[in-house]
Amino acid sequence: MEAATKESRPLFTNQQLCALIVPLLIEQLLAVAVGMADTMMVSQAGEAAVSGVSLVDMINNLIIYLFSALATGGAVVTSQFIGARRIREAGDSAGQLVLLSLLSGLGILAFCLLCGRPVMRLFFGSITEDVMEAGLLYLRITAVSYPFLALYNAGAALFRSVGNSGISMRVSIVMNLINIVGNAIGVLVLHLGVAGVALPTLISRAVAAFLILRAAEHGAGPVQLHLRGLRLRGHMVRRILEIGVPSAVENGLFQLGRLLVVSIIATFGTAQIAANAVANNLDGMAILGGQALGLATITVVGQCVGAGDYAQARRYNRKLMLISWLLIAASVAAILISLPLLLNLYNISDEARVLSAQLVRLHNIPAIALWCLSFTLPNTLRAAGDARFTMVVSIVSMAVFRIGFSVVLGIWMGMGAIGVWIAMDIDWVCRVICFVARYFSGAWTRKYQNYQA
């Protein structure tokens, strides 16, 4: 039987929601803007450089999503403990998250340094040698930043779990300022090309990890992080991994699927690779509001679930979904209106520019109706511990619809990158159907209760 369906005192006021959401929006905006600046600056070194960086960024995105999934597991557990007023356990879960993140970052760093070229050949074997060399250089330098990135994500997730996203926003501002100033110096002044973009990324992530962990040691709201004497604790690790592993598998295989899709696009030539990279940059601007609200959902719904108040969980879900939809609709309108001006910022061929515009429209117009239900709503399920369901849906939908239809439309029907992006829209429709049905079934409300039992 569902617990605590009668709504009690609101866990979050509108002022508290704004204090959580606005810094997340700024943080997401900074991340996307710096990603755009990276691509714009490296495009000055030619299409081979921008193609190589964009291909490796697909691998980097896979790694980032793995770290984010682990951080999500820790954030959900910490939020639930806070909602249940179990502050000591919240602090324990925070420490375990930091340690797990460091170990995962070191492991992935070692793998990428040892197997970078085989991985590039596996996914992008048909690319030209100049694109391969540019990509390998970028991969090796950015791989060194993985442990720092993992630690930053853990610290940011900790602050978000207590509703204090302002700290991670301020650290993100410092990180991205270092990155973008470093890019300008490395590419435009020192003319280092790909290395001029990669090295500032490494330095900025190292600084961010130091700053956010130092802040966490001095207290994240009611939670205190103790870094000295940290060691893995089996029961707490298992609880984090119960959510983090399904989320990591889901996000990892989702990004792996995107890698396979990009490997398909890589067979269509350098112009289509460059167009795909530019479109991905601009599409990131369109959905940043939804991504920020997705992070807020983990904190808000997680605390409601920990308190056993599912009536509030539903009410806040509706409110956050509405805000997410409004933000995406506004962003899409702004990008479509300014699209010609935005495309002129990239030093790409006319063929790539025309294709970029088509791909942006294929993403942004359906995103208004589908993106929030595909990617923000599942965070409500994850915050309640229903991570395995979202994992299964995402994997099946990616394999059958996005990859399957990419092959059919992109290769067999000769539609190229356009066919691949249409397959993405089909994937979204499947995800919407499954996640909406799961939410209204109420099955997600029993996951935390089962764990408590």
Side-chain angles (χ1 to χ4, degrees):
M1 190 170 104
E2 188 177 314
T5 55
K6 184 178 179 180
E7 192 171 323
S8 57
R9 180 182 63 83
L11 290 174
F12 293 87
T13 65
N14 288 335
Q15 184 178 3
Q16 288 173 320
L17 287 178
C18 285
L20 175 65
I21 293 169
V22 171
L24 290 174
L25 284 170
I26 295 172
E27 191 174 345
Q28 293 297 310
L29 176 61
L30 284 170
V32 173
V34 170
M36 290 179 64
D38 281 358
T39 304
M40 290 175 190
M41 290 183 187
V42 81
S43 70
Q44 304 304 313
E47 284 194 353
V50 73
S51 296
V53 169
S54 70
L55 292 178
V56 172
D57 271 340
M58 299 303 296
I59 298 175
N60 280 333
N61 286 338
L62 168 61
I63 305 304
I64 289 169
Y65 275 91
L66 289 175
F67 294 151
S68 296
L70 182 59
T72 295
V76 167
V77 172
T78 302
S79 295
Q80 290 175 349
F81 279 134
I82 292 171
R85 301 294 187 267
R86 296 164 62 182
I87 304 305
R88 184 181 64 80
E89 289 97 329
D92 290 343
S93 68
Q96 296 301 292
L97 172 60
V98 169
L99 189 52
L100 285 171
S101 297
L102 175 60
L103 294 175
S104 65
L106 291 172
I108 296 174
L109 162 61
F111 175 80
C112 288
L113 291 181
L114 292 172
C115 304
R117 185 177 290 272
V119 168
M120 290 285 289
R121 284 296 179 198
L122 174 65
F123 290 112
F124 316 120
S126 62
I127 59 177
T128 59
E129 190 59 30
D130 55 348
V131 173
M132 172 64 75
E133 291 305 317
L136 274 175
L137 177 60
Y138 186 67
L139 175 62
R140 288 165 179 159
I141 296 174
T142 55
V144 181
S145 73
Y146 291 162
F148 302 117
L149 178 62
L151 290 172
Y152 167 75
N153 279 344
L158 170 60
F159 280 108
R160 288 194 293 266
S161 69
V162 299
N164 186 358
S165 58
I167 295 290
S168 61
M169 178 198 70
R170 289 192 284 274
V171 174
S172 178
I173 290 173
V174 174
M175 176 174 64
N176 287 298
L177 282 174
I178 292 172
N179 198 354
I180 199 165
V181 172
N183 287 345
I185 295 172
V187 175
L188 303 179
V189 179
L190 301 179
H191 305 291
L192 295 177
V194 170
V197 174
L199 287 171
T201 298
L202 167 59
I203 296 169
S204 64
R205 288 174 176 174
V207 171
F210 171 79
L211 291 177
I212 203 155
L213 290 182
R214 182 176 175 82
E217 275 197 297
H218 288 81
V223 177
Q224 182 73 40
L225 176 64
H226 301 285
L227 295 178
R228 293 182 180 178
L230 272 181
R231 58 183 179 83
L232 294 178
R233 299 182 182 179
H235 69 287
M236 193 64 72
V237 169
R238 283 193 299 272
R239 182 159 186 182
I240 293 172
L241 295 182
E242 281 179 358
I243 298 171
V245 167
S247 295
V249 171
E250 172 189 343
N251 287 317
L253 291 180
F254 182 82
Q255 291 302 315
L256 183 61
R258 290 189 67 192
L259 267 173
L260 293 174
V261 167
V262 171
S263 71
I264 294 172
I265 293 176
T267 66
F268 303 145
T270 300
Q272 295 218 20
I273 298 173
N276 185 71
V278 170
N280 275 324
N281 268 188
L282 296 177
D283 295 341
M285 294 292 292
I287 61 174
L288 65 87
Q291 290 173 327
L293 269 293
L295 294 172
T297 297
I298 292 292
T299 297
V300 173
V301 176
Q303 290 196 25
C304 292
V305 169
D309 197 332
Y310 289 92
Q312 286 205 67
R314 289 189 173 92
R315 182 169 69 84
Y316 285 124
N317 174 73
R318 290 193 297 270
K319 178 178 287 190
L320 295 173
M321 288 289 294
L322 176 60
I323 297 171
S324 178
W325 181 83
L326 291 172
L327 290 172
I328 287 180
S331 298
V332 166
I335 288 171
L336 293 179
I337 290 171
S338 59
L339 187 56
L341 176 62
L342 291 172
L343 291 176
N344 285 335
L345 298 175
Y346 295 89
N347 182 28
I348 55 177
S349 65
D350 290 340
E351 177 188 356
R353 184 174 289 105
V354 171
L355 181 58
S356 296
Q358 294 173 312
L359 298 182
V360 167
R361 294 186 185 100
L362 279 172
H363 177 280
N364 285 3
I365 294 173
I368 297 175
L370 301 176
W371 199 92
C372 294
L373 295 172
S374 296
F375 297 99
T376 304
L377 179 60
N379 274 356
T380 292
L381 309 182
R382 295 185 187 101
D386 198 13
R388 291 184 182 178
F389 179 81
T390 64
M391 174 188 72
V392 171
V393 170
S394 296
I395 292 171
V396 172
S397 185
M398 167 62 77
V400 175
F401 295 101
R402 187 170 296 202
I403 297 176
F405 276 92
S406 290
V407 173
V408 172
L409 299 176
I411 298 177
W412 294 354
M413 297 184 64
M415 297 177 67
I418 290 177
V420 169
W421 284 56
I422 291 174
M424 172 193 66
D425 294 335
I426 297 171
D427 169 43
W428 288 359
V429 172
C430 173
R431 292 170 61 95
V432 168
I433 293 171
C434 294
F435 292 141
V436 169
R438 183 70 166 188
Y439 177 78
F440 283 106
S441 76
W444 57 280
T445 64
R446 295 185 286 275
K447 295 298 179 178
Y448 181 70
Q449 294 166 246
N450 292 340
Y451 178 84
Q452 293 295 90

